[in-house]
Every structure is written in C-alpha cells, then in structure tokens.
Amino acid sequence: QQSIEQQLEQLRQQLRHYEYQYHVLDKPTIPDAEYDRLMNQLKTLEQQYPELISADSPTQRVGAKPLASFAQVRHEIPMLSLDNAFSDQEFYAFVKRIQERLGYGNDDLTFCCEPKLDGLAVSILYENGILSQGATRGDGSTGEDITLNIRTIRNIPLQLLTDNPPARLEVRGEVFMSQAGFEQLNERALARGEKTFANPRNAAAGSLRQLDPKITRQRPLVFNAYGIGIAEGVVLPDTHFARLQWLKQIGIPINQEIELCRGTEQVLEFYRQMGQKRDGLGYDIDGTVLKINEIALQQQLGFVSKAPRWAIAYKFPAQEQLTI
Ligand SMILES: Cc1ccc2cc(C(N)=O)cc(O)c2n1
C-alpha cells in the first residue's frame, strides 16, 4: 500500500509527463478526459492533506489573490533587443560585417534560424529545477515580477523534467497568443461588454500585466523559449541550436519551425519559406531571427550598444492590418 506522499508524488510525475507530451512534444498520449481525471484525483488528495501541497505541484498554477502592484526585477544579464534588416542587401551587409570581424573571408557561416514571434519577451528563472521567478523584459535591465501570471501559462513547466537540474537556469522567450485564442477572447469580451484587444500581441501584453492571476489563467497564452540567460551548475552545449534542443528535452517548449541553415543562401531560403508559411502558422510573426549558431563566435562578436552583433531580425514588410 503506497503512502499518501508516494501517491501524491506519483500523480504529480504522471501529470508532468502528460503535460510535457501535450505542450512540448505536441504528441498527447492520453485523452483530455483521462488527464482531467488524474488532475481531479490529485486536487482531491491535496485537499484531504493540504500540508502535503508543494508549490511545484501541477495543481498550483493559480495564485491565491490579486497583487496590489508588480515588484521590480533587475536582470543580472541584460535582455537585449535585436538589430533589424529589411532587405537581402541589409542581410548580406550584416553577414559581411561578421565575416570581416571574424576574418572568415567568404566562408560559410552557420545560422540558427527561427520565426520572430510577435509577443512579449519574458525571463523565467528555475532554481534547482523549480520555477522561482518570472519577469517581463521591461527596458532590458529592469522588468516587472509577473511570477504568478507566468505560472498560469500551461506550457511553462513548474518543474524541469530532469533528475539533475541546474542550480540556476534562466530561460528567455516570447509569450504570445494564437490568432484563434485571440478571436475567442475578443468574442467573449464583446459578449461581456468588456474591452477588446486590437491584436494578439496587445492581448498577450494585457494578459501578462493583469494583477489578478485568475484572469491571466483564463487567457490562451503560449510560451516559446529562444535563449538562455543565467546558467549555473550545468555545462551548456556549444551551439545555440543544441541549447534549444536541450531546453526542449528538459521540458521547455521551443518553436517547431527552428532550423539550422548553412551559408547565406540557405538563410534567405528560410526567410522566404517563413514568408510563405506566415499566414498558415496560426500565430503572428513579424519576421525571422537569424543567429550565428556557434556560441564561441557569438562571444567573439559580442554586442554593440544594446544589440548583439551576432544576430539580426530580418522583418517582413508591414502587413496591411484588416480593419475590423
Ligand atoms: C537575443 C534575442 C532577443 C530577442 C529575441 C526575440 C525573438 C522573438 N520575438 O521571437 C526571438 C529571439 O531569438 C530573440 N533573441
């Protein structure tokens, strides 16, 4: 006969596994009804033994009561913005500057290429594998503590899926809203006579800045990681692409369109393909983010003023916004 603690821990591990399959691998292994049954079983057991509730239990996604205001968070490593390119010529010039700086002649450079999600940048800190803080980017040096709201986003794990978690790991990424989720939210708001949002990005920003996590919890927010800030007690892979794959393995969702491209022409092919895919993705993107893949080269290139020399956002032409 299992002890209560063992029953609780088993239910929690099972739910974390199913959440990972559903939200990170996009391959649900059980029907939603079975997931809900297990979650209700855990909630019931925790209500019988409240002293055994742990903050990282899958039931603990919604904070108790609304905050009066947000505390400030100082980013130990600044969260930077990206330089932009608006044409192939500007991208070629970006590559040329890098080749000259690295003394690479015309050798091919490998880029990690991804869609540029049109949402809100956030920083999520895990201490010994447990989610301990969530913050907005703010001005890059100081952001707002939105931990309670971050915890309500279903595809952000409250605990990393690894037996030996880093002492401290800061995951950076974008919180966004799908177009379908945005439409449903506005319909619901209209029906309730509440204010509607102009676009998914504003809806995501407004939802994250809610002082009441119970409201944030009802919003269809999604997180995709795009980088790592603080990393202590772990040796990270030596390329950006491998680091993103590592994040995925420990339970952090990354975007499914990310690709490695070797050489400028492959990168521009990725840019054009993303331009073709744009309307069918189901979420807004405003371009692509193209990063030198080798971390050693990123470190050699460094940053200029607020933006990395090793990355560029190649944007799409502004889309004519349908006036509804
Ligand atoms: C360094 C950096 C800064 C902002 C970013 C923003 C996005 C994005 N909006 O998808 C993706 C990235 O890889 C980023 N990377």
Side-chain angles (χ1 to χ4, degrees):
Q1 170 62 5
Q2 273 188 326
S3 72
I4 299 297
E5 286 87 342
Q6 284 168 328
Q7 286 175 52
L8 286 167
E9 196 42 40
Q10 183 178 17
L11 281 169
R12 289 169 184 158
Q13 288 299 7
Q14 275 180 299
L15 286 163
R16 288 185 191 113
H17 169 74
Y18 293 135
E19 285 166 7
Y20 176 68
Q21 292 284 143
Y22 185 92
H23 289 292
V24 180
L25 301 185
D26 197 20
K27 291 189 196 110
T29 48
I30 56 167
D32 296 359
E34 170 63 11
Y35 173 85
D36 295 343
R37 191 185 65 75
L38 286 169
M39 179 62 88
N40 290 332
Q41 200 178 331
L42 177 55
K43 278 178 183 164
T44 306
L45 204 52
E46 288 182 345
Q47 274 153 11
Q48 288 168 341
Y49 301 91
E51 73 284 3
L52 297 178
I53 294 177
S54 58
D56 64 340
S57 172
T59 59
Q60 303 303 301
R61 279 198 176 273
V62 189
K65 54 192 180 305
L67 294 170
S69 66
F70 290 116
Q72 298 267 296
V73 169
R74 183 137 191 77
H75 300 299
E76 292 175 34
I77 299 173
M79 289 185 74
L80 299 167
S81 51
L82 294 168
D83 265 348
N84 294 328
F86 292 95
S87 68
D88 288 3
Q89 283 62 38
E90 287 182 25
F91 178 66
Y92 284 125
F94 165 70
V95 173
K96 190 165 179 299
R97 285 196 300 275
I98 290 175
Q99 286 174 325
E100 282 167 0
R101 211 169 177 91
L102 296 175
Y104 253 52
N106 280 336
D107 291 359
D108 277 350
L109 289 159
T110 301
F111 286 85
C112 183
C113 303
E114 56 192 86
K116 186 171 182 301
L117 305 172
D118 197 2
L120 211 75
V122 299
S123 157
I124 305 173
L125 184 65
Y126 289 88
E127 291 180 299
N128 297 313
I130 309 289
L131 196 162
S132 61
Q133 180 187 268
T136 61
R137 177 182 175 281
D139 63 6
S141 301
T142 306
E144 291 171 319
D145 184 330
I146 52 165
T147 306
L148 295 182
N149 291 344
I150 286 291
R151 292 176 66 89
T152 70
I153 301 174
R154 300 304 182 289
N155 78 332
I156 294 178
L158 299 178
Q159 183 189 78
L160 296 178
L161 290 186
T162 167
D163 297 333
N164 55 331
R168 288 211 301 164
L169 178 71
E170 181 197 3
V171 179
R172 295 173 166 192
E174 200 87 355
V175 171
F176 61 100
M177 196 178 283
S178 69
Q179 287 151 354
F182 168 67
E183 305 297 345
Q184 284 158 21
L185 172 63
N186 266 357
E187 272 163 33
R188 211 168 57 209
L190 267 179
R192 293 176 181 166
E194 291 163 359
K195 89 177 170 73
T196 58
F197 292 96
N199 56 54
R201 193 205 164 286
N202 289 6
S207 302
L208 276 181
R209 287 210 195 94
Q210 272 294 334
L211 286 165
D212 183 355
K214 282 187 178 49
I215 296 177
T216 309
R217 188 191 190 294
Q218 293 162 8
R219 302 290 172 82
L221 295 173
V222 180
F223 173 74
N224 278 181
Y226 60 59
I228 293 171
I230 300 160
E232 290 169 7
V234 59
V235 176
L236 296 174
D238 56 9
T239 69
H240 184 71
F241 186 79
R243 291 184 176 195
L244 294 177
Q245 299 308 316
W246 173 68
L247 286 178
K248 181 173 177 178
Q249 278 151 23
I250 64 173
I252 301 289
I254 62 172
N255 190 275
Q256 297 166 347
E257 305 293 334
I258 294 172
E259 281 180 26
L260 265 185
C261 294
R262 183 175 189 79
T264 317
E265 291 321 306
Q266 267 193 32
V267 173
L268 292 175
E269 180 51 32
F270 175 84
Y271 172 81
R272 269 177 264 296
Q273 278 177 8
M274 279 318 295
Q276 300 296 325
K277 288 182 178 179
R278 186 180 191 185
D279 292 345
L281 288 174
Y283 50 87
D284 288 352
I285 64 172
D286 58 348
T288 60
V289 177
L290 313 166
K291 297 180 172 178
I292 288 288
N293 193 41
E294 286 78 11
I295 299 300
L297 297 183
Q298 290 186 7
Q299 288 165 343
Q300 210 176 313
L301 290 162
F303 304 85
V304 57
S305 75
K306 289 172 70 105
R309 280 202 188 90
W310 41 269
I312 195 100
Y314 185 173
K315 310 284 281 276
F316 293 133
Q319 234 173 353
E320 65 291 335
Q321 287 300 338
L322 303 179
T323 47
I324 24 177

